[in-house]
Amino acid sequence: MAYSLRPVTLADAPAVTALLNEIDRIEIGRPETELHSVESELKHPEVDLEKDSWLVVEDGRPVAYGLLWDESGGERIDVDHYVLPDHQEAGELVFARMEARALARARGNGAERAVVHLHLNSEPTLDTALIERRGWSTVRRYHVLRRSLDPARDLPPRPPAGVRIRSCTAEADRHRAHELYQDSFAGHFDFQPRGYEQWLHDVGTDGLDWSLVWIASTADLGDVGMLLARDDREAMGWIRSIGVREPARGRGIGGFLLRHAFAAFAERGRDTVGLGVDTANATGAPLLYERNGLTVHYAVDTWETVLL
């Protein structure tokens, strides 16, 4: 096979989206990758496209794609990797370059090693034996969950006693949502602290409707929880983040925020809502989602390698 390997450009975003949706169809049964999401990833502030992206093309058709970014400023490096099932050799070409670049980025940060993470569908198009031979192994599993919506059933919930909720329509509330996110997720696996501007890019504010971002507060503790949702995916409404500060957990605030989002999406005419969860989450989130009717859509594994 005659493969051509080169960096990705922003002009490649539609072709990359088409490749990822072809892989979606194989892995989860339907396309769920949006062009705006790919464009946002290619514009990531920690990505130098010339050095941190790879596209393998055969006869003008993309068959493998990789992207690398560094949020930690230390040894932790993140990568994405996609390959069509009949083009494993192309996928390995990308891996060789990603690993070399990951180690260079980490050493450029002053670290002696690179700890690299990659998220893959639990039944990926990539032949995982290929990366196991390169020293990669799974360290975590996530579930993408979904739930059907019904405007007659999913009505705005009554808040727990003493709890109030407001949308983040004011700039000050957006800063507060960022603070609550950083606080409530600080103990989670793979969490990387992010400044406000970095966080804005991470959540993709270009297409974000701030009326779908809410803050919950209590009379005794003040602002204690946040939920950030998006309505720019064709497949379903999406809850990107939901977090409650530790002192306020166990008071029904997370469930209330969740049901509030269900009602908002149902009112907008959405028939499905989804979110992702770490199956080893220690805060009880998987059980919370199960109690509120969310079921597994597909699973994603975090793969890790340590490069010296």
Side-chain angles (χ1 to χ4, degrees), residues 80-238:
D80 279 340
H81 183 281
Y82 300 89
V83 64
L84 292 174
D86 295 335
H87 296 275
Q88 299 302 314
E89 183 181 346
E92 192 157 19
L93 285 174
V94 174
F95 260 105
R97 286 154 179 79
M98 284 200 312
E99 289 175 351
R101 177 59 176 163
L103 185 56
R105 287 286 300 256
R107 286 179 173 169
N109 293 336
E112 295 183 356
R113 65 178 192 170
V115 179
V116 191
H117 281 190
L118 164 69
H119 297 298
L120 289 177
N121 186 284
S122 60
E123 298 182 8
T125 55
L126 173 70
D127 179 0
T128 54
L130 180 155
I131 58 174
E132 288 173 339
R133 292 195 297 268
R134 302 182 71 92
W136 291 76
S137 60
T138 56
V139 294
R140 207 75 165 191
R141 171 158 288 195
Y142 293 82
H143 282 161
V144 174
L145 308 177
R146 63 181 175 182
R147 178 187 185 276
S148 61
L149 298 173
D150 180 348
R153 176 193 65 191
D154 294 305
L155 301 172
R158 178 175 297 180
V163 174
R164 294 186 177 184
I165 190 170
R166 67 184 187 274
S167 295
C168 290
T169 52
E171 180 67 19
D173 283 334
R174 298 173 189 181
H175 281 272
R176 190 66 180 131
H178 164 253
E179 293 168 2
L180 289 165
Y181 176 86
Q182 298 294 307
D183 188 12
S184 58
F185 281 86
H188 288 212
F189 173 75
D190 224 10
F191 173 77
Q192 299 292 333
R194 305 289 280 162
Y196 180 64
E197 295 299 328
Q198 293 174 311
W199 178 75
L200 288 178
H201 182 275
D202 291 348
V203 302
T205 52
D206 287 348
L208 184 64
D209 180 348
W210 285 99
S211 71
L212 290 174
V213 184
W214 297 283
I215 290 174
S217 62
T218 67
D220 56 334
L221 296 174
D223 295 334
V224 294
M226 59 81 66
L227 185 148
L228 187 152
R230 305 188 65 95
D231 195 22
D232 54 358
R233 293 188 176 197
E234 184 176 344
M236 65 185 74
W238 186 253

Side-chain angles (χ1 to χ4, degrees), residues 245-300:
R245 293 180 59 234
E246 188 171 359
R249 291 172 188 164
R251 297 170 61 168
I253 295 170
F256 167 65
L257 282 167
L258 197 62
R259 293 188 295 275
H260 185 84
F262 293 166
F265 277 125
E267 186 178 12
R268 286 172 171 236
R270 283 292 196 169
D271 60 8
T272 310
V273 63
L275 56 79
V277 63
D278 177 358
T279 59
N281 183 296
T283 67
L287 181 59
L288 169 69
Y289 300 149
E290 181 181 344
R291 287 200 306 261
N292 283 277
L294 287 144
T295 58
V296 176
H297 180 22
Y298 60 90
V300 174

